[in-house]
Amino acid sequence: GYLAFANGRAVGWCNAGPSGTMTTLPDAASAEADTGAVVCFVIAKPYRGQGIATRLLEAACEGFRSQGLAAVN
């Protein structure tokens, strides 16, 4: 997963990783090895609407690329 910080405090979370590791997905065991999954975002209420989820998604996609994953679910 990925955390976003503001002023030293966690203000956002993105649960993302290789699809096969996401036990909350019903077909995780049969997921393609080169596929990542973004399962959820949580953003603290005072920080919503400020682009934090977008930056978390960008970080997750960059993480997928660095792991050699070719697609995102």
Side-chain angles (χ1 to χ4, degrees):
Y2 295 85
L3 284 171
F5 290 88
N7 301 317
R9 297 185 64 177
V11 298
W13 159 256
C14 173
N15 187 6
S19 292
T21 66
M22 295 297 177
T23 59
T24 57
L25 297 176
D27 58 348
S30 63
E32 293 185 35
D34 67 344
T35 302
V38 177
V39 180
C40 73
F41 292 89
V42 177
I43 309 298
K45 195 173 257 187
Y47 295 91
R48 294 177 187 168
Q50 298 180 32
I52 292 173
T54 299
R55 291 193 294 272
L56 284 167
L57 178 60
E58 290 168 350
C61 288
E62 180 58 35
F64 293 152
R65 280 190 287 276
S66 72
Q67 295 174 56
L69 302 177
V72 178
N73 248 346

